[in-house]
Amino acid sequence: MSGGFLRRFLRSPLAVLSALLLLALAMASLAAPLVEAALGVDRTAISLLDRFAPPSAEHPLGTDELGRDVLVRLLYGGRVSLFVGLAAALASALVGTAVGLLAGYHGGRLDALLMRLTDGLIALPLLPLLIVLAAIDPARLGIPPEVAGAENASLLRIVLLVSLFGWTTVARLVRGATLSARRRDYALAAVALGASGRRIMLSHILPNVAAPAVVATTLTVGNVILLESVLSFLGLGIQPPLPSWGNMLTGAQDLVSTAPMLAVWPGLLIFLTVIAVNLLGDGLQDALDPRAVVRR
């Protein structure tokens, strides 16, 4: 089965190219400290004498308005943006898969309750809701100031907010697949043999409904990166000095006329990442479906 999946996936050149691009971005972001050391720069060091320096051997993409190396900050920003996208998408997938499995397998009142909750969350405008929640002062929620003011606090807050409200698509997809899978012969045979509901869901149904969850999770990564970028652009997301592609765009919005490349580079990386994730999701959908039509 794995060989068939790989063959079907390789038939989609755009999906393969997208996977390679995402892998390259991830590897480059992980190598940010090595690049920083090789260039002999400090991503946090401010040098007003080196403001808006053109590309050179020491600064391949030049410097920003505070004299910081743009390439190194892009790589560190990639670590943050990609981590937020992956972590929030995986957390949303876990919640959505659990809700979808329970609703689809048990049915009845539990299904009605969970699906009405899902429908209610879907009806909410996600971006305005996240903007309002991200603007709440953590100190008013009883969170200790040292925790709320930690460098990674804004990162974890974005992951938590998206995870709480971004699981609905996965839940509906998994529920639909579970409703179909629980009537299949292998599930009915497990019931006849006396297997518990938990064992049937985890051992028999979950592996057979994983495909839509995987595809939805992949597509969620791109959506989360866009949401993080929008919130950071509005000053409600990742907070400096921690760089992300979104807050790098925020810092460059007043410099578009004088230093346009400071906005082009993070915007281009966001664009490429989201497009690559969506194309990868399409390729995975075709590859995970054994009935996929062979493309020419």
Side-chain angles (χ1 to χ4, degrees):
M1 182 175 177
S2 59
F5 162 78
L6 184 59
R7 285 194 298 271
R8 289 191 295 270
F9 182 75
L10 292 177
R11 290 193 187 108
S12 176
L14 287 177
V16 174
L17 183 62
S18 298
L20 293 176
L21 175 60
L22 292 172
L23 179 62
L25 287 174
M27 295 300 293
S29 298
L30 291 175
L34 298 178
V35 176
E36 185 179 22
L39 294 176
V41 298
D42 183 353
R43 72 183 187 280
T44 60
I46 296 175
S47 177
L48 298 180
L49 297 178
D50 294 327
R51 297 174 69 240
F52 304 120
S56 62
E58 184 181 1
H59 304 291
L61 296 181
T63 60
D64 62 9
E65 71 280 6
L66 296 178
R68 299 169 296 188
D69 186 84
V70 173
L71 174 61
V72 171
R73 284 179 54 79
L74 283 171
L75 295 180
Y76 276 100
R79 299 177 81 170
V80 172
S81 295
L82 293 176
F83 171 79
V84 169
L86 288 173
L90 290 176
S92 299
L94 290 176
V95 175
T97 300
V99 171
L101 271 176
L102 290 172
Y105 182 78
H106 291 288
R109 293 182 178 179
L110 181 61
D111 179 28
L113 175 63
L114 293 177
M115 287 302 100
R116 296 300 76 74
L117 173 62
T118 303
D119 292 340
L121 291 179
I122 290 176
L124 296 174
L126 182 58
L127 182 56
L129 178 64
L130 291 179
I131 291 175
V132 171
L133 294 176
I136 296 176
D137 185 4
R140 296 193 175 185
L141 301 178
I143 299 176
E146 59 273 11
V147 175
E151 184 181 29
N152 294 325
S154 58
L155 187 153
L156 297 177
R157 182 172 60 176
I158 296 300
V159 173
L160 178 62
L161 289 178
V162 174
S163 302
L164 288 176
F165 298 97
W167 51 266
T168 53
T169 299
V170 176
R172 293 186 69 86
L173 290 173
V174 172
R175 173 186 176 269
T178 302
L179 287 173
S180 175
R182 73 176 185 176
R183 296 183 176 88
R184 300 291 178 88
D185 292 340
Y186 57 82
L188 297 177
V191 174
L193 291 173
S196 64
R198 179 180 178 182
R199 180 177 179 83
I200 294 172
M201 283 191 292
L202 296 180
S203 300
H204 300 282
I205 294 180
L206 180 58
N208 290 282
V209 303
V214 170
V215 174
T217 302
T218 306
L219 297 176
T220 301
V221 173
N223 293 333
V224 173
I225 291 175
L226 283 177
L227 286 174
E228 180 273 322
S229 301
V230 172
L231 291 176
S232 296
F233 184 79
L234 296 175
L236 301 173
I238 307 301
Q239 299 299 316
L242 194 65
S244 77
W245 293 337
N247 63 26
M248 289 182 71
L249 275 176
T250 303
Q253 63 178 329
D254 295 328
L255 304 170
V256 173
S257 59
T258 57
M261 296 309 295
L262 294 180
V264 169
W265 290 120
L268 180 61
L269 288 175
I270 293 172
F271 172 78
L272 290 176
T273 301
V274 174
I275 291 296
V277 166
N278 288 332
L279 292 176
L280 177 61
D282 291 340
L284 286 175
Q285 184 174 17
D286 292 337
L288 289 169
D289 184 4
R291 297 167 298 178
V293 178
V294 177
R295 298 179 178 177
R296 295 182 181 179

